[in-house]
Amino acid sequence: MEENFKAYTQHPLPKGVTLSEILIATAIAGILCVATMPAIITSKQLSHLNKVKAYLLSVQAIQSRSWLRTGKYLTHDALPPIEISSVSIAQTISSTGKYEIVATLATRALTDRCRIIKITEDTLTPTECW
């Protein structure tokens, strides 16, 4: 009887991972990915919006400098290009000499109030996006 016990205890344990362990680890990783995806998307959209706002504020500074030097605002062609994908920029200069620069973020929903943000020499709209 002692020999049977010794023979049983001397068998090595199998090495490696079982299929069920791999499936459990994959399921946990999938659940974590699904749980973090909305946070990643939100932070990416916020980063995108902040880049657009930084660009508009830099253009506002350029326009102010131009006005102080020459008494005129620069045209859209004279401004630095925006290097952010899915954003279109339009500028209008009124007959009174005021400018308005409009940025449209194509990645945002049509109902999102921050989809279109505007900057003039003295206004930032919509205010909740700034």
Side-chain angles (χ1 to χ4, degrees), residues 14-18 21:
K15 296 181 180 179
V17 230
T18 64
E21 291 170 336

Side-chain angles (χ1 to χ4, degrees), residues 26-100:
T26 305
I28 290 171
I31 290 169
L32 290 175
C33 286
V34 168
T36 58
M37 193 59 67
I40 292 170
I41 291 171
T42 301
S43 66
K44 191 173 182 179
Q45 285 179 343
L46 184 60
S47 169
H48 200 235
L49 178 64
N50 287 334
K51 286 179 186 178
V52 171
K53 290 190 302 188
Y55 172 79
L56 290 176
L57 290 172
S58 69
V59 167
Q60 186 183 42
I62 292 169
Q63 291 290 40
S64 296
R65 242 179 289 137
S66 174
W67 179 261
L68 290 173
R69 288 183 184 157
T70 65
K72 296 180 183 177
Y73 291 116
L74 297 173
T75 62
H76 182 63
D77 300 336
L79 296 173
I82 189 164
E83 297 176 2
I84 303 169
S85 62
S86 305
V87 175
S88 62
I89 299 289
Q91 176 183 344
T92 56
I93 299 178
S94 67
S95 59
T96 59
K98 296 189 177 223
Y99 72 89
E100 178 181 78

Side-chain angles (χ1 to χ4, degrees), residues 27 33 39 108 110 122:
C33 286
R108 296 227 168 203
L110 293 174
D122 58 358

